[in-house]
Amino acid sequence: MDRKIPKDILLKEKRKRWIKYGTVILSSIVVIAVIISLLRDSIPLKNIQLSSVDKGTIEVTVSASGKVMPAFEETVIAPIESRIMKVHKRAGDSVDVGTPLLQLDLQSIETDYRKMLDELQMRQYRIEQQRIKNSSTLSDMQMQLKVNDMQIDKMAVEVVNEKYLDSIGAGTTDKVREVEIKYNVAKLEQEQAHKKLENDRKVADAELRVQELELEIFRKTLAETKRILEDAQIRSPRKAILTYINNQVGARVGQGTEVAILSDLSQFRIDGEIADSYGDRISVGSKSVVRVGSDELTGVVSNVTPLSKNGVIQFTVQLDDPDNARLRSGLRTDVYVMNAVKEDVLHIDNGPYYSGPGTYELFVLNGGTLEKRKVRLGESNYQYVEVISGLEPGDRAVVSDMSRYRDKNKLKVSD
């Protein structure tokens, strides 16, 4: 017959079952934790970018931002203050030399120009009148001098006659002296008249030259007014693309105001900007690389602004291939300007990990494990970074973004 099992035995059995179940559950948790930990401390090889440490030459560069600009641009300005009457072309149109762009209100300047033409004719008449007047006055003076010369000759005969009469006792000494005095006075007056004629001729010539000079200055002013009037027609000075035009009919424009911009969109340049702290590393003639998307274009720095503006220095890069198909006006680019060459140095590929010379913690592949290592890096260019210490030739370092693993010292690599 069946016997009743004691309670203490039942409790022991129950306790054993609970211990058994707890052990299984705890083992499962540990296994799961280990698996999760292994998964967290491993990374697929396809998700990282490795670079081998090599020895070679680095052309050290400084990076800057750039903007694609037309190689040639000309700004058309309003030569006078006026009002836009009509717009002949739109932005984006192709124009030839002399193509009308804008029509300004020119009534005022045209009236002034016609007045100046009348004044020019009046000045010419005045000069001709002065020339005739001077000729007449000088001719009268010359005629008077001839008459005076004849009178002096007569006085000279009278002196001779009086001296003869005095020698034969028919005249007196006082009479001779009187005639001689009159003769000498006449000669002095004649000499003075000759000098006056010469001075008057010089004064007349000088006055005439002054008037002629004033006429020449006025002609230049008239020519400048004519040029301004022609420029005010607002025509295209060359064959190009119209990239901007003031199309506000009726709007007033001041003298010197920009009304249109013409650009040659067949060739381009790069306008770059860099912090003024790197200004000493950029000079005219420096080789440059411009990255447009995945393409790299070479060129040289052709101009550097001497002054810093808002902490930025501007420069221009002349491209070796200025008509490259990838270039578009206004496109933003990365510019790398070479300023030094380092030979026989260790280097790795440049990447998002690099932000300038200093000490970095990089993962280095060792078998199937990535080990974090302190590495000192130096100068760089757009391709390579100089390795000063921490890496040896043949090492393979991770150059992709590993910021999510910054708290890890080791990582397993999975296929």
Side-chain angles (χ1 to χ4, degrees), residues 152-217:
I152 290 173
D153 290 341
K154 180 182 177 183
M155 289 181 182
V157 173
E158 290 179 353
V159 170
V160 173
N161 292 337
E162 288 297 330
K163 285 183 177 181
Y164 175 73
L165 294 174
D166 183 47
S167 65
I168 61 175
T172 63
T173 304
D174 292 338
K175 184 65 175 177
V176 172
R177 186 178 296 114
E178 180 183 353
V179 172
E180 287 180 339
I181 290 174
K182 287 182 179 181
Y183 172 69
N184 292 330
V185 169
K187 286 175 61 178
L188 291 175
E189 289 177 347
Q190 183 72 342
E191 184 178 349
Q192 184 180 12
H194 276 287
K195 289 182 179 180
K196 185 177 184 304
L197 174 63
E198 185 65 25
N199 291 336
D200 288 349
R201 182 182 287 112
K202 291 180 180 179
V203 170
D205 289 343
E207 290 177 350
L208 192 61
R209 284 196 297 270
V210 168
Q211 291 187 15
E212 289 174 344
L213 182 59
E214 290 175 348
L215 178 63
E216 188 62 29
I217 294 174

Coordinates of all heavy atoms in Angstrom, one line a residue, residues 152-217:
I152 N 61.8 160.7 -88.7 CA 63.2 160.7 -88.1 C 64.2 161.0 -89.2 O 65.2 161.7 -88.9 CB 63.4 159.4 -87.3 CG1 62.6 159.3 -86.1 CG2 64.9 159.3 -87.0 CD1 62.6 158.0 -85.4
D153 N 64.0 160.4 -90.3 CA 65.0 160.6 -91.4 C 64.9 162.1 -91.8 O 66.0 162.8 -92.1 CB 64.6 159.8 -92.7 CG 64.8 158.3 -92.4 OD1 65.6 158.0 -91.5 OD2 64.3 157.5 -93.2
K154 N 63.7 162.7 -91.8 CA 63.6 164.2 -92.1 C 64.4 165.0 -91.1 O 65.1 166.0 -91.4 CB 62.2 164.6 -92.2 CG 61.9 166.0 -92.5 CD 60.4 166.4 -92.5 CE 60.2 167.9 -92.7 NZ 58.8 168.2 -92.7
M155 N 64.2 164.6 -89.8 CA 64.9 165.3 -88.7 C 66.4 165.2 -88.9 O 67.2 166.1 -88.6 CB 64.5 164.8 -87.3 CG 63.1 165.1 -86.9 SD 62.7 164.5 -85.3 CE 60.9 165.0 -85.2
A156 N 66.9 164.1 -89.3 CA 68.3 163.9 -89.5 C 68.9 164.8 -90.6 O 70.0 165.4 -90.4 CB 68.6 162.4 -89.9
V157 N 68.1 165.1 -91.6 CA 68.5 166.0 -92.7 C 68.5 167.4 -92.1 O 69.4 168.2 -92.4 CB 67.5 165.9 -93.9 CG1 67.8 167.0 -94.9 CG2 67.6 164.5 -94.5
E158 N 67.5 167.7 -91.3 CA 67.5 169.1 -90.7 C 68.7 169.3 -89.8 O 69.2 170.5 -89.8 CB 66.2 169.3 -89.9 CG 64.9 169.3 -90.7 CD 63.7 169.5 -89.9 OE1 63.8 169.4 -88.6 OE2 62.6 169.7 -90.4
V159 N 69.1 168.3 -89.1 CA 70.3 168.5 -88.3 C 71.5 168.8 -89.1 O 72.4 169.7 -88.8 CB 70.6 167.2 -87.4 CG1 71.9 167.3 -86.7 CG2 69.5 167.1 -86.4
V160 N 71.7 168.1 -90.2 CA 72.8 168.3 -91.1 C 72.8 169.7 -91.7 O 73.8 170.4 -91.8 CB 72.8 167.3 -92.3 CG1 73.9 167.6 -93.3 CG2 73.0 165.8 -91.7
N161 N 71.5 170.1 -92.1 CA 71.4 171.5 -92.7 C 71.7 172.6 -91.7 O 72.4 173.6 -92.0 CB 70.0 171.7 -93.2 CG 69.7 170.8 -94.4 OD1 70.7 170.4 -95.1 ND2 68.4 170.6 -94.7
E162 N 71.3 172.4 -90.5 CA 71.5 173.5 -89.4 C 73.0 173.5 -89.1 O 73.6 174.6 -88.9 CB 70.7 173.2 -88.2 CG 69.2 173.4 -88.3 CD 68.9 174.9 -88.6 OE1 69.7 175.8 -88.1 OE2 67.9 175.2 -89.2
K163 N 73.6 172.4 -89.1 CA 75.1 172.4 -88.9 C 75.8 173.1 -90.0 O 76.8 173.8 -89.8 CB 75.6 171.0 -88.7 CG 75.2 170.3 -87.4 CD 75.9 168.9 -87.3 CE 75.6 168.3 -85.9 NZ 76.2 167.0 -85.8
Y164 N 75.4 172.9 -91.2 CA 76.0 173.6 -92.4 C 75.8 175.1 -92.3 O 76.8 175.9 -92.5 CB 75.4 173.0 -93.7 CG 75.9 173.8 -94.9 CD1 77.3 173.6 -95.3 CD2 75.1 174.7 -95.6 CE1 77.7 174.3 -96.4 CE2 75.6 175.4 -96.7 CZ 76.9 175.2 -97.1 OH 77.4 175.9 -98.2
L165 N 74.6 175.5 -92.0 CA 74.3 177.0 -91.9 C 75.1 177.6 -90.8 O 75.6 178.7 -90.9 CB 72.8 177.2 -91.6 CG 71.9 176.8 -92.8 CD1 70.4 177.0 -92.3 CD2 72.2 177.7 -94.0
D166 N 75.3 176.8 -89.7 CA 76.1 177.4 -88.5 C 77.6 177.5 -89.0 O 78.3 178.4 -88.5 CB 75.9 176.4 -87.3 CG 76.7 177.0 -86.1 OD1 76.5 178.2 -85.8 OD2 77.4 176.1 -85.5
S167 N 78.0 176.6 -89.8 CA 79.4 176.6 -90.2 C 79.8 177.8 -91.1 O 80.9 178.3 -91.2 CB 79.8 175.3 -90.9 OG 79.1 175.1 -92.1
I168 N 78.7 178.3 -91.9 CA 79.0 179.4 -92.8 C 78.5 180.7 -92.2 O 78.4 181.8 -92.8 CB 78.3 179.2 -94.1 CG1 76.8 179.1 -94.0 CG2 78.9 178.0 -94.8 CD1 76.0 179.0 -95.3
G169 N 78.0 180.7 -90.9 CA 77.6 181.9 -90.2 C 76.2 182.3 -90.4 O 75.8 183.3 -90.0
A170 N 75.4 181.4 -91.1 CA 74.0 181.7 -91.4 C 73.1 181.2 -90.3 O 71.9 181.5 -90.3 CB 73.6 181.2 -92.8
G171 N 73.6 180.4 -89.4 CA 72.7 179.8 -88.3 C 73.4 180.1 -87.0 O 74.4 180.8 -86.9
T172 N 72.7 179.5 -86.0 CA 73.2 179.6 -84.6 C 73.4 178.3 -84.0 O 72.8 177.3 -84.4 CB 72.2 180.4 -83.7 OG1 71.0 179.7 -83.6 CG2 71.9 181.8 -84.3
T173 N 74.3 178.3 -82.9 CA 74.6 177.0 -82.2 C 73.3 176.5 -81.4 O 73.1 175.3 -81.4 CB 75.7 177.3 -81.2 OG1 76.8 177.8 -81.9 CG2 76.1 176.0 -80.5
D174 N 72.5 177.5 -80.9 CA 71.3 177.1 -80.2 C 70.3 176.4 -81.1 O 69.7 175.4 -80.7 CB 70.6 178.3 -79.6 CG 71.5 178.9 -78.5 OD1 72.3 178.2 -77.9 OD2 71.3 180.1 -78.1
K175 N 70.2 176.8 -82.3 CA 69.3 176.2 -83.3 C 69.8 174.8 -83.6 O 69.0 173.9 -83.7 CB 69.3 177.0 -84.6 CG 68.3 176.5 -85.6 CD 66.9 176.6 -85.1 CE 65.9 176.3 -86.2 NZ 64.5 176.3 -85.8
V176 N 71.1 174.6 -83.7 CA 71.6 173.3 -84.0 C 71.3 172.3 -82.8 O 70.9 171.2 -83.0 CB 73.1 173.3 -84.3 CG1 73.7 171.9 -84.4 CG2 73.4 174.1 -85.5
R177 N 71.5 172.8 -81.6 CA 71.3 172.0 -80.4 C 69.8 171.6 -80.3 O 69.4 170.5 -80.0 CB 71.7 172.8 -79.2 CG 71.6 171.9 -77.9 CD 72.1 172.6 -76.7 NE 73.6 172.9 -76.8 CZ 74.1 174.1 -76.9 NH1 73.2 175.2 -76.9 NH2 75.4 174.3 -77.0
E178 N 68.9 172.6 -80.6 CA 67.5 172.3 -80.6 C 67.1 171.2 -81.6 O 66.3 170.3 -81.2 CB 66.7 173.6 -80.9 CG 65.2 173.4 -80.8 CD 64.5 174.7 -81.2 OE1 65.1 175.8 -81.3 OE2 63.3 174.7 -81.3
V179 N 67.6 171.3 -82.8 CA 67.3 170.3 -83.8 C 67.8 168.9 -83.4 O 67.1 167.9 -83.6 CB 67.8 170.8 -85.2 CG1 67.6 169.7 -86.2 CG2 67.1 172.0 -85.6
E180 N 69.0 168.9 -82.9 CA 69.6 167.6 -82.4 C 68.8 167.0 -81.3 O 68.6 165.7 -81.3 CB 71.1 167.8 -82.0 CG 72.0 168.1 -83.1 CD 73.4 168.3 -82.6 OE1 73.6 168.6 -81.4 OE2 74.4 168.1 -83.4
I181 N 68.4 167.8 -80.3 CA 67.6 167.3 -79.2 C 66.3 166.6 -79.8 O 65.9 165.5 -79.4 CB 67.3 168.4 -78.2 CG1 68.6 168.8 -77.5 CG2 66.2 167.9 -77.2 CD1 68.4 169.9 -76.5
K182 N 65.5 167.3 -80.7 CA 64.3 166.8 -81.2 C 64.6 165.5 -82.0 O 63.8 164.5 -81.9 CB 63.7 167.8 -82.2 CG 63.1 169.0 -81.5 CD 62.4 169.9 -82.6 CE 61.8 171.1 -81.9 NZ 61.1 172.0 -82.9
Y183 N 65.7 165.4 -82.6 CA 66.1 164.2 -83.4 C 66.3 163.1 -82.4 O 65.8 161.9 -82.7 CB 67.3 164.5 -84.3 CG 67.9 163.3 -84.9 CD1 67.2 162.7 -86.0 CD2 69.1 162.8 -84.5 CE1 67.7 161.5 -86.6 CE2 69.7 161.7 -85.2 CZ 68.9 161.0 -86.2 OH 69.5 159.9 -86.8
N184 N 67.1 163.3 -81.4 CA 67.4 162.2 -80.4 C 66.1 161.7 -79.7 O 66.0 160.5 -79.4 CB 68.4 162.7 -79.4 CG 69.8 162.9 -80.1 OD1 70.1 162.2 -81.1 ND2 70.6 163.8 -79.6
V185 N 65.3 162.7 -79.3 CA 64.0 162.3 -78.6 C 63.2 161.4 -79.6 O 62.6 160.4 -79.2 CB 63.2 163.6 -78.2 CG1 61.8 163.2 -77.7 CG2 64.0 164.3 -77.1
A186 N 63.1 161.8 -80.8 CA 62.3 161.0 -81.8 C 62.9 159.6 -81.9 O 62.1 158.6 -82.1 CB 62.3 161.8 -83.1
K187 N 64.2 159.5 -81.9 CA 64.8 158.2 -82.1 C 64.5 157.3 -80.8 O 64.2 156.1 -81.0 CB 66.3 158.3 -82.2 CG 66.8 158.8 -83.6 CD 68.3 159.0 -83.7 CE 69.0 157.7 -83.4 NZ 70.5 157.9 -83.5
L188 N 64.5 157.9 -79.6 CA 64.2 157.2 -78.4 C 62.7 156.7 -78.4 O 62.4 155.6 -78.0 CB 64.5 158.0 -77.2 CG 66.0 158.3 -76.9 CD1 66.1 159.3 -75.7 CD2 66.7 157.0 -76.6
E189 N 61.9 157.7 -78.8 CA 60.4 157.3 -78.9 C 60.2 156.2 -79.9 O 59.3 155.3 -79.7 CB 59.6 158.6 -79.3 CG 59.6 159.6 -78.1 CD 58.8 160.9 -78.6 OE1 58.6 161.0 -79.8 OE2 58.5 161.7 -77.7
Q190 N 60.9 156.3 -81.0 CA 60.8 155.2 -82.0 C 61.2 153.9 -81.5 O 60.6 152.8 -81.7 CB 61.6 155.6 -83.3 CG 61.4 154.6 -84.4 CD 60.1 154.6 -85.1 OE1 59.1 155.2 -84.5 NE2 60.0 154.1 -86.3
E191 N 62.4 153.9 -80.7 CA 62.9 152.7 -80.1 C 61.9 152.1 -79.1 O 61.6 150.9 -79.1 CB 64.2 152.9 -79.5 CG 64.9 151.7 -78.9 CD 66.2 152.0 -78.3 OE1 66.7 153.1 -78.4 OE2 66.8 151.1 -77.6
Q192 N 61.3 153.0 -78.4 CA 60.2 152.6 -77.4 C 59.0 152.0 -78.1 O 58.4 151.0 -77.7 CB 59.8 153.8 -76.5 CG 58.8 153.4 -75.4 CD 58.5 154.6 -74.6 OE1 58.8 155.7 -74.9 NE2 57.8 154.4 -73.5
A193 N 58.7 152.6 -79.2 CA 57.5 152.1 -80.0 C 57.8 150.7 -80.6 O 56.9 149.9 -80.6 CB 57.2 153.1 -81.1
H194 N 59.0 150.5 -81.0 CA 59.4 149.2 -81.5 C 59.2 148.1 -80.4 O 58.7 147.0 -80.6 CB 60.8 149.2 -82.1 CG 60.9 149.6 -83.5 ND1 60.4 148.9 -84.6 CD2 61.3 150.8 -84.0 CE1 60.6 149.5 -85.7 NE2 61.2 150.7 -85.4
K195 N 59.7 148.5 -79.2 CA 59.6 147.5 -78.1 C 58.2 147.2 -77.7 O 57.8 146.1 -77.4 CB 60.4 148.0 -76.9 CG 61.9 148.0 -77.1 CD 62.6 148.5 -75.8 CE 64.1 148.5 -76.0 NZ 64.9 148.9 -74.8
K196 N 57.4 148.3 -77.7 CA 55.9 148.1 -77.4 C 55.3 147.2 -78.5 O 54.4 146.4 -78.1 CB 55.3 149.5 -77.4 CG 53.8 149.5 -77.0 CD 53.2 150.9 -76.9 CE 51.8 150.8 -76.4 NZ 50.9 150.0 -77.2
L197 N 55.6 147.4 -79.7 CA 55.1 146.6 -80.8 C 55.4 145.1 -80.5 O 54.6 144.2 -80.6 CB 55.6 147.0 -82.1 CG 55.2 146.1 -83.3 CD1 53.7 146.1 -83.5 CD2 55.9 146.6 -84.6
E198 N 56.7 144.9 -80.1 CA 57.1 143.5 -79.9 C 56.4 142.9 -78.7 O 55.9 141.7 -78.7 CB 58.6 143.4 -79.6 CG 59.2 142.1 -79.5 CD 59.1 141.2 -80.7 OE1 59.0 141.8 -81.8 OE2 59.1 140.0 -80.6
N199 N 56.2 143.7 -77.6 CA 55.5 143.3 -76.4 C 54.0 143.0 -76.7 O 53.4 142.0 -76.3 CB 55.6 144.3 -75.3 CG 57.0 144.3 -74.7 OD1 57.8 143.4 -74.9 ND2 57.4 145.5 -74.1
D200 N 53.4 143.9 -77.5 CA 52.0 143.7 -77.8 C 51.8 142.5 -78.7 O 50.8 141.8 -78.5 CB 51.5 145.0 -78.6 CG 51.3 146.2 -77.7 OD1 51.4 146.0 -76.4 OD2 51.1 147.3 -78.2
R201 N 52.8 142.2 -79.6 CA 52.7 141.0 -80.4 C 52.7 139.8 -79.5 O 52.0 138.8 -79.7 CB 53.8 141.0 -81.4 CG 53.7 139.8 -82.3 CD 54.9 139.7 -83.3 NE 54.7 140.7 -84.4 CZ 55.4 141.8 -84.5 NH1 56.4 142.0 -83.7 NH2 55.2 142.7 -85.5
K202 N 53.7 139.8 -78.5 CA 53.8 138.6 -77.6 C 52.5 138.4 -76.7 O 52.0 137.3 -76.6 CB 55.0 138.8 -76.7 CG 56.3 138.7 -77.4 CD 57.5 138.9 -76.4 CE 58.8 138.8 -77.1 NZ 59.9 139.0 -76.2
V203 N 52.0 139.6 -76.3 CA 50.7 139.5 -75.4 C 49.6 139.0 -76.3 O 48.8 138.1 -75.8 CB 50.4 140.9 -74.9 CG1 49.0 140.9 -74.2 CG2 51.4 141.3 -73.8
A204 N 49.5 139.5 -77.5 CA 48.4 139.0 -78.4 C 48.5 137.5 -78.7 O 47.5 136.8 -78.7 CB 48.4 139.8 -79.7
D205 N 49.8 137.1 -79.0 CA 50.0 135.7 -79.2 C 49.6 134.8 -78.0 O 49.0 133.7 -78.1 CB 51.4 135.4 -79.6 CG 51.8 136.0 -81.0 OD1 50.8 136.3 -81.8 OD2 53.0 136.1 -81.4
A206 N 50.0 135.3 -76.8 CA 49.7 134.6 -75.6 C 48.2 134.5 -75.3 O 47.7 133.4 -75.0 CB 50.4 135.2 -74.4
E207 N 47.5 135.6 -75.5 CA 46.1 135.6 -75.3 C 45.4 134.6 -76.3 O 44.5 133.9 -76.0 CB 45.5 137.0 -75.5 CG 45.9 137.9 -74.4 CD 45.4 139.3 -74.6 OE1 44.9 139.6 -75.8 OE2 45.4 140.2 -73.7
L208 N 45.9 134.6 -77.5 CA 45.4 133.7 -78.6 C 45.6 132.2 -78.2 O 44.8 131.4 -78.3 CB 46.0 134.0 -79.9 CG 45.3 133.4 -81.1 CD1 43.8 133.8 -81.2 CD2 46.0 133.7 -82.4
R209 N 46.9 132.0 -77.7 CA 47.2 130.6 -77.3 C 46.3 130.1 -76.1 O 45.9 129.0 -76.0 CB 48.7 130.5 -76.9 CG 49.6 130.5 -78.2 CD 51.0 129.9 -77.8 NE 51.6 130.8 -76.9 CZ 52.4 131.8 -77.2 NH1 52.6 132.1 -78.5 NH2 53.0 132.6 -76.3
V210 N 46.0 131.1 -75.2 CA 45.2 130.7 -74.0 C 43.8 130.3 -74.5 O 43.2 129.3 -74.1 CB 45.1 131.9 -73.1 CG1 44.0 131.7 -72.0 CG2 46.4 132.1 -72.3
Q211 N 43.3 131.1 -75.5 CA 41.9 130.8 -76.0 C 41.9 129.5 -76.8 O 41.0 128.7 -76.7 CB 41.5 132.0 -76.9 CG 41.2 133.2 -76.2 CD 40.5 134.3 -77.1 OE1 40.1 134.0 -78.2 NE2 40.5 135.5 -76.6
E212 N 43.0 129.3 -77.5 CA 43.1 128.0 -78.3 C 43.2 126.8 -77.3 O 42.6 125.7 -77.5 CB 44.3 128.0 -79.2 CG 44.1 129.0 -80.4 CD 45.4 129.1 -81.2 OE1 46.5 128.7 -80.7 OE2 45.3 129.6 -82.4
L213 N 44.0 127.0 -76.2 CA 44.1 125.9 -75.2 C 42.7 125.7 -74.5 O 42.3 124.5 -74.3 CB 45.1 126.3 -74.1 CG 45.4 125.3 -73.0 CD1 45.8 124.0 -73.6 CD2 46.4 125.8 -72.0
E214 N 42.0 126.8 -74.2 CA 40.7 126.6 -73.6 C 39.8 125.9 -74.6 O 38.9 125.0 -74.2 CB 40.1 128.0 -73.3 CG 40.8 128.6 -72.1 CD 40.2 130.0 -71.8 OE1 39.5 130.6 -72.7 OE2 40.5 130.6 -70.7
L215 N 39.9 126.2 -75.9 CA 39.1 125.5 -76.9 C 39.4 124.0 -76.9 O 38.5 123.2 -77.1 CB 39.4 126.1 -78.3 CG 38.6 125.5 -79.4 CD1 37.1 125.6 -79.3 CD2 39.1 126.1 -80.8
E216 N 40.8 123.7 -76.8 CA 41.2 122.3 -76.8 C 40.6 121.5 -75.6 O 40.2 120.4 -75.7 CB 42.7 122.2 -76.9 CG 43.2 120.8 -77.1 CD 42.8 120.2 -78.4 OE1 42.6 120.9 -79.4 OE2 42.7 118.9 -78.5
I217 N 40.7 122.2 -74.5 CA 40.1 121.6 -73.2 C 38.6 121.4 -73.4 O 38.1 120.3 -73.0 CB 40.4 122.5 -72.0 CG1 41.9 122.5 -71.7 CG2 39.6 122.0 -70.8 CD1 42.3 123.5 -70.6

